[in-house]
Amino acid sequence: MDYVVLVKNIIESITDDSFDITNENGIIKVLVTESDYGKLIGKGGTTINAIRTLVDEAASMHNDGFIKIEVEKREN
């Protein structure tokens, strides 16, 4: 399963601006604008934790192990 595509599809529905997403050494890195950063993280990290849970469950269903997702603010 392509977890980058899964994460990308989820994030597209949450963010307003464009974002960059990469897969480096098994870590999915997402760079978002400052205005979208708060939306993606959510209050107390609830939104990003929900995304991580969904991706982890998908990975466990395919016996792919743990998928790490990092979110950072993109520099303008």
Side-chain angles (χ1 to χ4, degrees):
M1 175 170 221
D2 190 345
Y3 300 105
V4 173
V5 172
L6 175 61
V7 172
K8 180 179 181 257
N9 289 335
I10 295 169
I11 292 173
E12 281 178 339
S13 67
I14 297 170
T15 59
D16 293 325
D17 299 321
S18 63
F19 59 90
D20 297 317
I21 187 166
T22 59
N23 186 359
E24 299 175 13
N25 299 322
I27 300 172
I28 298 173
K29 292 186 178 187
V30 182
L31 298 173
V32 296
T33 61
E34 188 169 345
S35 62
D36 282 337
Y37 184 78
K39 292 177 193 174
L40 189 55
I41 298 300
K43 190 173 185 176
T46 55
T47 304
I48 192 61
N49 286 336
I51 294 168
R52 288 176 176 143
T53 299
L54 286 170
V55 173
D56 284 343
E57 287 299 317
S60 70
M61 289 176 60
H62 292 92
N63 297 320
D64 288 334
F66 181 75
I67 307 294
K68 185 172 181 177
I69 303 172
E70 293 180 354
V71 178
E72 297 176 7
K73 293 179 192 173
R74 182 172 53 198
E75 294 182 20
N76 294 330

